[in-house]
Amino acid sequence: MILQNALGKEKQVLFFLKSAWHAPYYQIEAWIKYKFNPEDMFLLIENDQIISILQAAKRVFSIQNKDCLVSVVEFALTDPEYRNHGYFKKLLEAYIKKCECNELLSLVKTSIPKPFLQQDFWMQSVTKVYTLSSEKVTYLPISRVRKYRPAFDLYPLYETFLSHFDSSIHLSRQEFENDLAYYAHAKRNVILMYNKSYEPEGFAIYALHENKARIEVLVYLNSNAIESLFSSLSLICDTILIETSQFEVLEKLYPSIRSYEKNEILLRINNKKLFEHWLPVNADLFGHPSWDQLL
């Protein structure tokens, strides 16, 4: 049985996540509190047991001063004992059928593209993960990094950052603040980077694990912000990791940095006629380096 929402199934979803998602309990709790949206979650249930879930989010996609509503697959998980049996395929088909009636585009970032490619998604871009040894980072004796405090408003920085891209998913203030609360309750670290005049020029959200700092969100207005961030992190870890778009060129700052491809960003046009009407034929939707900002 496939359900197009999880209303009334909140306790079952929590139980499913605790048993099937290999994440710390505090992260699962944070996800339930700040990310879980029963109205946009698809469930596949068998014998009154959740087998697979898919949660999407409606987001505003902007390109060349035009906006449209898109559906972003934010989370998908199948019980390990039931994988490779076509359960998620059925769930994905139900999700697409609903999207075709409601949203112009569907987007997903995934390391397992096969089930999506089988449903007329295609690869728009790839991401890569940079790994940098802390020994290769130039230490800046004057620290221009401060721990984030809730009294500081990060949203203007985020909007300024997005203004440099031709296309992006643009979070509303409420969506942005909700994501920020999720990271805080999932025990992520949030820090701000400043310039010489102590004006903010970026912020980063990262997790520390086994002497590695994994940057999950990076907003920066110039390369000085990146250098300040990396200098600060090099004091508390052995390795810095960050996932970026394929168009990022951190090699210019750190020639010894290494990278490898990680996830694929996939796109599906749910209604081609409406899409062609919405976006002029000569509009360059594809090939924008800002696709890393979509998800």
Side-chain angles (χ1 to χ4, degrees), residues 161-162 165 167-170 218 245 289-295:
F161 179 63
L162 286 191
F165 299 97
S167 58
S168 64
I169 291 290
H170 195 147
L218 175 60
S245 80
S290 50
W291 278 91
D292 61 320
Q293 304 307 321
L294 289 179
L295 304 162

Side-chain angles (χ1 to χ4, degrees), residues 261-291:
E261 292 187 356
K262 177 66 182 295
N263 290 303
E264 295 186 11
I265 296 177
L266 307 178
L267 167 75
R268 187 181 194 277
I269 297 176
N270 295 320
N271 189 312
K272 292 184 179 179
K273 289 185 178 181
L274 286 179
F275 177 79
E276 292 171 356
H277 176 73
W278 172 71
L279 193 68
V281 175
N282 62 348
D284 182 18
L285 171 62
F286 308 111
H288 280 278
S290 50
W291 278 91

Side-chain angles (χ1 to χ4, degrees), residues 26-188:
Y26 59 79
Q27 185 174 350
I28 295 174
E29 282 191 321
W31 193 90
I32 287 290
K33 184 174 182 179
Y34 294 104
K35 292 285 193 178
F36 176 48
N37 184 352
E39 294 184 357
D40 290 320
M41 174 173 280
F42 290 74
L43 302 178
L44 193 150
I45 298 176
E46 190 174 86
N47 297 324
D48 203 35
Q49 178 182 346
I50 296 177
I51 303 299
S52 184
I53 66 173
L54 182 156
Q55 177 162 300
K58 295 179 178 62
R59 298 291 187 228
V60 173
F61 172 54
S62 301
I63 179 170
Q64 300 180 0
N65 298 317
K66 295 173 70 69
D67 294 340
C68 77
L69 192 66
V70 301
S71 178
V72 178
V73 177
E74 287 199 324
F75 190 85
L77 182 65
T78 299
D79 189 314
E81 295 184 7
Y82 292 88
R83 290 174 185 172
N84 301 315
H85 289 85
Y87 287 101
F88 182 70
K89 179 181 178 181
K90 294 179 181 178
L91 199 62
L92 184 58
E93 288 173 349
Y95 160 74
I96 290 172
K97 188 175 182 180
K98 185 176 181 180
C99 285
E100 289 177 339
C101 299
N102 296 282
E103 286 86 37
L104 197 61
L105 302 172
S106 291
L107 298 162
V108 63
K109 181 173 76 173
T110 179
S111 60
I112 308 175
K114 184 178 179 179
F116 295 94
L117 294 174
Q118 292 175 341
Q119 299 298 327
D120 296 327
F121 282 79
W122 73 83
M123 187 181 74
Q124 174 57 40
S125 180
V126 297
T127 69
K128 58 185 178 183
V129 173
Y130 280 108
T131 63
L132 179 65
S133 170
S134 295
E135 296 177 349
K136 303 296 185 179
V137 176
T138 301
Y139 172 66
L140 302 179
I142 300 177
S143 175
R144 292 198 169 89
V145 172
R146 298 286 186 274
K147 185 177 180 180
Y148 164 72
R149 297 181 183 279
F152 188 85
D153 186 6
L154 295 180
Y155 193 66
L157 270 177
Y158 165 76
E159 289 197 305
T160 301
F161 179 63
L162 286 191
S163 69
H164 296 291
F165 299 97
D166 292 328
S167 58
S168 64
I169 291 290
H170 195 147
L171 300 179
S172 67
R173 174 176 284 276
Q174 183 177 351
E175 291 167 341
F176 177 84
E177 296 292 349
N178 194 69
D179 279 1
L180 198 60
Y182 163 73
Y183 284 116
H185 284 77
K187 298 187 178 181
R188 300 304 193 256

Side-chain angles (χ1 to χ4, degrees), residues 222-241:
N222 52 56
S223 61
N224 292 332
I226 298 177
E227 292 181 287
S228 295
L229 170 65
F230 282 20
S231 173
S232 176
L233 292 180
S234 69
L235 300 177
I236 60 174
C237 69
D238 295 332
T239 307
I240 300 170
L241 301 98

